[in-house]
Amino acid sequence: MILDADTIRKDFPIFETKMHGRPLTYLDSAASAQKPRVVIDRISDFYASRYANIHRGVYQLSAEATLEYEAVRTRVADFIGAPDAREVIFVRNATEAINLVARTWGEEEIGRGDEIVITTMEHHANIVPWQMLAQRRGAILRVAKISDEGVLDIDHLVSLLGPRTRLLAFTAVSNALGTINPVAELTTIARERGITSLVDGAQAVPHQPIDVAALGCDFYVFSGHKVFGPTGAGVLYGRLPVLESMPPFLGGGDMIESVSFEGTRFAQVPQKFEAGTPDIASVIGFGAAIDYLETIGMDRIADHERSLLVYATERLGEIPGLRIIGTAKEKAAVISFVLEDVHPHDIGTILDGEGIAIRAGHHCAQPLMNRMGVPATARASFSIYNTREDVDRLVAALQKTWELFH
Ligand SMILES: Cc1ncc(COP(=O)(O)O)c(C=O)c1O
């Protein structure tokens, strides 16, 4: 059964809000997704009637909050195909997950002259932590090329892999181009060479079914807020033996087994990586988001967004002077574009006046923008609550923008 976005919209209270007196067309889900009422209610109910700290109290409220929090861990593991719930570490977001790996696994495994391979289409979150690690350890960062269409050059990537390559870190889906990378192929290439792999799934998890075991990656990271959950809850998935071999990240309460002034014994995975009071309510809200997505079905979501992408790509072709940046055959419902000499920020501002929210800028992917020969783009990204009518409104507003400037 195809997804009915008009019905889905009713689950999201934000669409009752008018923008400059107009209905909201929200085309910035790649930055952050809107929240369904079930998520908002679960958080609010938790604070109102079930709130307590976790992993500490012997009293009922705390014990139940702990159960609820840990149930989300199991829920996430099932959702992404992790064989063991202990492989799910709760962090704030994808950025923190990557930094955790760089600061723990990276400090142990990366030495002078070792090499880390990434791609040209990475978000800054999957560049800067590796650059910082390489600087600390005297390692080398190598970057796989992409084509003019925004497709990863796998031959070039393979040519970069050598005896000193320790890590292949790449995005599953480009936030700025929409390109979908062949994740399983890339993790196989890494595994066959004994190279650890980290997949940045921030733009993949909201849009398609994920099975980390089938993908065969060592690490997989994503943010709950892009998956209709609240801000403050993200996930680091790691294969259990890898996580167990890693030193802890932050030190403090909850991540220990015992502490004395002579020394500390650390807790087992996953507690070893979750020092201090976590964002309990956000994790619990994130659980509601996963429940919500599963009632819709990830395959239906992927089909809906694919059909919106085809329709939007076709319709945007009607605008004079509009050029789509990123035209890979395998694409998520993200369309980056430039409109001849109109600055993307001007496009964003004019569209805002029409009640249309898009992103304008470098999308935290400055090296990618340089590669594509543009300083910035305007970006429309689509999700479950977007309709063809949203696309039509976008196209009409862009026509108007074009006319204003020419
Ligand atoms: C591909 C990709 N990786 C990582 C991130 C970072 O996500 P967060 O800011 O939630 O840590 C983003 C956010 O836009 C992204 O699109």
Side-chain angles (χ1 to χ4, degrees), residues 30-32 92-98 121-126 171-176 200-204 221-226 359 363-364 379:
S32 201
R92 274 186 308 148
N93 48 37
T95 303
E96 186 171 292
I98 296 172
M121 69 176 91
E122 299 311 313
H123 186 282
H124 295 164
N126 204 24
T171 191
V173 175
S174 158
N175 64 308
D200 175 357
Q203 296 294 340
V221 309
F222 64 101
S223 297
H225 70 89
K226 294 188 202 279
R359 178 90 184 266
H363 315 293
C364 298
R379 181 189 71 185

Side-chain angles (χ1 to χ4, degrees), residues 298-363:
M298 295 310 296
D299 285 317
R300 282 171 76 211
I301 292 172
D303 286 346
H304 169 72
E305 292 177 0
R306 207 171 299 120
S307 97
L308 272 183
L309 174 69
V310 170
Y311 181 64
T313 306
E314 199 179 286
R315 290 243 37 220
L316 287 171
E318 296 168 17
I319 316 273
L322 186 143
R323 184 161 63 91
I324 293 179
I325 308 292
T327 50
K329 241 183 24 231
E330 296 297 326
K331 246 187 101 162
V334 170
I335 305 183
S336 251
F337 58 91
V338 290
L339 194 53
E340 226 157 70
D341 49 352
V342 188
H343 194 281
H345 282 140
D346 291 334
I347 301 175
T349 306
I350 294 167
L351 264 54
D352 178 49
E354 302 285 324
I356 303 170
I358 60 154
R359 178 90 184 266
H362 55 60
H363 315 293

Side-chain angles (χ1 to χ4, degrees), residues 39 45 53 102 140 162 182 200 216 235 250 261 367 380:
V39 168
D45 292 347
N53 209 333
I140 299 154
D200 175 357
V235 170
L250 303 175
F261 287 120

